[in-house]
Amino acid sequence: MFQDFGPLTERRRLERQQRRKRLIVAGVSGVIFLLLLVVGALATLHVSAAGNSSATMPSSTTPPKEIHSTTRTIKMLCSSTDYKSTCVSSLSKAVNSSRGSSSSKLQPKDLIKAAVVVVTSEVAQAFSHSELIKSDDPKVKGAIEDCKELYNYAKDELKRTADGLGKNVLQQLPKREHELKNWLSAVMSYQQTCIDGFPEGEFKTNMKKAMTKAKELTSNALAIISEASSLLSSLDIQGLGLGRRRLLSREGGDCPGCQVSHKDGLPAWVSDADRRLLKQQQAKKLKPNVVVAKDGSGNFKTISEALAAMPAKYKGRYVIYVKAGIYDESPTVTKNMMNVTMYGDGSRKTIVNGNKNFVDGTRTFQTATFVAIGEGFMAIDMGFRNSAGAVKHQAVALRVQSDRAIFLNCRMEGYQDTLYAQTHRQYYRSCVVAGTVDFIFGDAAAIFQNCNLVVRRPLDNQQNIVTAQGRVDRRQSTGFVIQSCRFIADKKLKVAGAPPIRSYLGRPWKEYSRTIIMESTIGDFIHPDGYMPWEGDFALKTLYYGEYGNKGPGAGLAKRVSWPGFRVINKQEAVKYTVASFIQGDDWIKATGTPVRLGLYN
């Protein structure tokens, strides 16, 4: 039969459509409510143990039918996690603590913020175990100090996770997935770094046990965020906007810096001061706030002095020009020093030099000549060097913890552990990184593009390994991507009469190590296996090592390792590891005027 579409029929049709929409919204809201409780419980231990009454909700009797339904839903949600029993127990406690006479009036964001308060206290409890350790061993004492520092970083990341959930959870979660996973991945890295700082033995074993549950819950939170985001992104519901993922620079809502792009093409979160700076930079006319010069011709004689004098609440980008010279110091761009640009007269002319090392008693974490922590750090035409030499083993030239960090035309020189790409998103363009053993290591999401990776000669009893990526959990959004780079042998790698040195592209520092080498040129000095194990069969099944479109005499794949985790990837898979996809660089890198290839070259 033909249907008559008169005004009354149309009105009824619209009413049915609205009812369906309300039902869908209610159903999705219920699922997301519980999903977000898991996120809030990412490091929750016992509330009673924390003694934090501010996060505890009043309790009341709950109907058995509701309890059964909730328990079943919790088990369903936890099925996607790697630590299911931990997920179920922690989520059940979070739900129970939220029940009460006023619970119906609470919004999901209220419960999440309350749960994250518990998270902060419980993560503190896990890290504080290090303070219970008593030892006269300077290495143990140093590890305890590192754990204190790392806890402060973890606490900041957890706060950002809570704040990043925003007011409208349904619409914001898919858009903020990258940010949330970035922060939680850093928390996992800090947890592991705390453990790694202790020498082998009882103290390290106990610290690992103390951190176990916090690590499991963080992993579960990453899993739930991924699943929830995928669910919402797949929902194409008219009028709800749940299935749309947009760049941060084009979003609206309550996310800081998520407004519509400015008319000049830069993201709206870029301040007016930054806009002026970026235009100057593009014109090769950077105007510094201060000048550093060893000869006294600038505002300061050292970089550390210039950083210390930076205004506490400076708005915009703070530019430091470092004149040519070798600066024997160990500057740190602290977490409060955001949006610092530092540029020199060339990577071989402006050099920051140090020689702290493991053999002389400094922990690897603290050996760095230069440390970049504050978000948005950018270095141009600078050199970073650790001159301790191969005999001193671990000796870091540059440690980068800064999110959205950029290094352009820079040089990092050392031997073992030259560049510590520790956490967050990093981009290296047209840089030179020189070293021997694991000379690019860490747990960042870092992309190296158009760089020269120079393999030097180590000690005669050592082997060269370019990368040692340290992803500790398969849910982390971290990994190293080497794109359109060149693997080059230093002229002194081969010495007449000396034993030959084997050189490899990488080895798995941690269980879920991830490294992708694509569209790069590999020299013939690289061993045909390509990669070497860390110890025995550790991580060989869980790592992710991929190659795509490489060339050169060392790029042959016929004799590559046959590990389950190694693969030759196709173009579709390679696209996932480009600048735009892997570190969301189409937003923040382009905004600085830095040359960048967002996709594949071929």
Side-chain angles (χ1 to χ4, degrees):
M1 295 177 62
F2 293 101
Q3 187 174 356
D4 184 12
F5 287 91
L8 180 61
T9 305
E10 180 63 14
R11 185 170 69 248
R12 288 173 177 169
R13 186 186 67 81
L14 291 173
E15 287 174 351
R16 286 196 300 269
Q17 185 181 54
Q18 290 299 321
R19 282 198 299 272
R20 284 197 300 270
K21 187 179 294 186
R22 284 194 295 270
L23 287 171
I24 293 171
V25 171
V28 174
S29 297
V31 173
I32 297 305
F33 175 79
L34 287 172
L35 287 172
L36 290 175
L37 282 177
V38 180
V39 178
L42 55 91
T44 304
L45 302 179
H46 296 279
V47 175
S48 58
N52 192 330
S53 59
S54 64
T56 305
M57 304 298 174
S59 60
S60 66
T61 303
T62 305
K65 185 176 181 180
E66 181 182 337
I67 293 175
H68 177 73
S69 177
T70 302
T71 301
R72 185 174 56 188
T73 304
I74 289 172
K75 290 182 178 179
M76 179 188 70
L77 295 176
C78 290
S79 65
S80 65
T81 66
D82 291 341
Y83 306 99
K84 295 177 179 57
S85 61
T86 302
C87 177
V88 170
S89 62
S90 62
L91 182 53
S92 297
K93 290 171 185 175
V95 170
N96 290 335
S97 68
S98 70
R99 288 197 178 103
S101 58
S102 61
S103 63
S104 60
K105 299 179 182 179
L106 293 172
Q107 298 297 317
K109 65 180 182 65
D110 300 320
L111 294 176
I112 286 302
K113 289 187 181 296
V116 172
V117 169
V118 179
V119 170
T120 302
S121 65
E122 297 302 345
V123 167
Q125 182 176 325
F127 272 96
S128 66
H129 178 80
S130 64
E131 298 180 6
L132 302 177
I133 297 173
K134 305 298 180 183
S135 174
D136 293 328
D137 186 340
K139 292 182 179 179
V140 174
K141 289 182 177 180
I144 294 171
E145 290 302 312
D146 289 347
C147 285
K148 291 179 180 178
E149 180 180 346
L150 290 160
Y151 163 65
N152 287 325
Y153 299 141
K155 182 171 62 175
D156 290 344
E157 306 290 358
L158 290 170
K159 183 180 185 304
R160 298 179 78 178
T161 303
D163 294 345
L165 289 168
K167 296 178 180 179
N168 191 334
V169 174
L170 283 176
Q171 290 187 342
Q172 295 304 326
L173 183 57
K175 302 168 188 176
R176 298 183 185 180
E177 179 189 4
H178 293 301
E179 300 295 322
L180 296 170
K181 292 174 71 174
N182 171 45
W183 297 325
L184 290 174
S185 293
V187 171
M188 296 209 76
S189 179
Y190 301 143
Q191 292 167 346
Q192 187 61 47
T193 304
C194 171
I195 297 169
D196 288 344
F198 288 90
E200 294 296 331
E202 180 184 359
F203 295 137
K204 186 170 186 175
T205 300
N206 290 341
M207 193 67 231
K208 185 176 181 179
K209 289 180 180 178
M211 201 69 75
T212 297
K213 193 166 186 179
K215 291 178 66 178
E216 289 181 354
L217 289 166
T218 310
S219 172
N220 288 342
L222 281 165
I224 295 298
I225 286 175
S226 296
E227 292 297 321
S229 181
S230 296
L231 170 66
L232 290 169
S233 297
S234 65
L235 294 176
D236 187 14
I237 303 173
Q238 184 179 1
L240 294 182
L242 299 179
R244 293 175 290 189
R245 293 194 188 199
R246 294 176 290 178
L247 297 176
L248 287 175
S249 60
R250 297 173 187 168
E251 294 175 8
D254 59 322
C255 174
C258 293
Q259 297 83 12
V260 177
S261 295
H262 194 273
K263 61 182 180 181
D264 59 11
L266 296 176
W269 53 262
V270 178
S271 67
D272 291 338
D274 271 9
R275 292 177 194 282
R276 291 192 295 271
L277 169 72
L278 298 174
K279 290 178 180 179
Q280 292 168 358
Q281 180 181 320
Q282 291 165 357
K284 304 297 183 181
K285 294 180 180 179
L286 279 170
K287 292 183 179 179
N289 293 81
V290 295
V291 177
V292 178
K294 285 193 70 174
D295 60 9
S297 61
N299 305 99
F300 303 97
K301 289 186 177 182
T302 69
I303 298 170
S304 298
E305 289 172 340
L307 289 169
M310 181 178 173
K313 295 184 179 180
Y314 187 81
K315 293 184 179 180
R317 186 160 284 274
Y318 197 76
V319 182
I320 300 174
Y321 167 41
V322 186
K323 288 188 175 182
I326 298 177
Y327 295 83
D328 295 304
E329 55 175 313
S330 298
T332 296
V333 180
T334 69
K335 66 179 182 180
N336 298 320
M337 300 174 182
M338 299 176 66
N339 298 319
V340 172
T341 291
M342 191 174 295
Y343 72 98
D345 287 323
S347 63
R348 290 183 178 272
K349 294 181 179 180
T350 300
I351 301 171
V352 190
N353 181 68
N355 60 8
K356 291 186 290 184
N357 62 85
F358 183 80
V359 171
D360 289 343
T362 303
R363 303 171 307 284
T364 303
F365 179 65
Q366 301 290 359
T367 61
T369 299
F370 191 100
V371 179
I373 301 173
E375 184 173 340
F377 178 76
M378 186 172 183
I380 307 170
D381 296 328
M382 295 280 295
F384 306 93
R385 185 169 67 193
N386 192 312
S387 56
V391 294
K392 297 295 184 178
H393 294 279
Q394 297 96 319
V396 177
L398 174 66
R399 175 162 69 88
V400 184
Q401 190 179 324
S402 169
D403 190 24
R404 297 187 176 94
I406 296 175
F407 291 84
L408 176 62
N409 299 328
C410 290
R411 186 179 185 90
M412 301 84 176
E413 287 185 85
Y415 286 85
Q416 183 169 344
D417 293 355
T418 301
L419 173 59
Y420 188 179
Q422 186 181 1
T423 55
H424 295 127
R425 292 164 293 189
Q426 306 173 13
Y427 178 64
Y428 299 82
R429 172 79 181 202
S430 301
C431 292
V432 175
V433 188
T436 56
V437 181
D438 305 333
F439 67 89
I440 300 175
F441 76 109
D443 192 22
I447 292 185
F448 300 81
Q449 201 172 77
N450 288 21
C451 294
N452 286 340
L453 309 181
V454 181
V455 179
R456 310 176 84 176
R457 185 172 183 85
L459 300 177
D460 288 348
N461 64 344
Q462 292 181 324
Q463 300 176 89
N464 283 324
I465 308 99
V466 178
T467 65
Q469 205 279 330
R471 191 169 62 141
V472 298
D473 187 273
R474 69 188 182 97
R475 306 291 185 180
Q476 287 180 279
S477 58
T478 60
F480 292 162
V481 178
I482 299 174
Q483 182 185 19
S484 189
C485 293
R486 294 195 302 160
F487 291 82
I488 302 172
D490 185 85
K491 293 180 180 179
K492 297 180 180 179
L493 179 60
K494 294 182 179 180
V495 177
I501 300 295
R502 287 189 173 188
S503 298
Y504 298 87
L505 299 170
R507 63 173 176 167
W509 182 30
K510 300 299 178 184
E511 190 172 4
Y512 292 92
S513 179
R514 178 162 61 180
T515 301
I516 295 88
I517 300 172
M518 55 190 193
E519 301 182 308
S520 295
T521 302
I522 304 175
D524 61 0
F525 65 96
I526 294 294
H527 193 277
D529 286 353
Y531 309 87
M532 66 173 289
W534 186 269
E535 184 178 5
D537 61 357
F538 170 75
L540 302 188
K541 294 181 180 179
T542 52
L543 61 79
Y544 183 104
Y545 284 174
E547 292 192 45
Y548 170 78
N550 297 312
K551 59 184 179 180
L557 299 171
K559 296 182 179 180
R560 283 290 192 261
V561 292
S562 57
W563 305 340
F566 172 76
R567 64 213 64 195
V568 179
I569 61 177
N570 58 28
K571 186 173 184 177
Q572 183 179 4
E573 184 73 5
V575 168
K576 297 178 183 178
Y577 300 101
T578 57
V579 169
S581 299
F582 193 56
I583 57 175
Q584 302 79 58
D586 45 351
D587 182 29
W588 56 277
I589 297 175
K590 287 187 69 176
T592 66
T594 302
V596 60
R597 183 79 175 194
L598 296 176
L600 296 171
Y601 283 83
N602 297 303

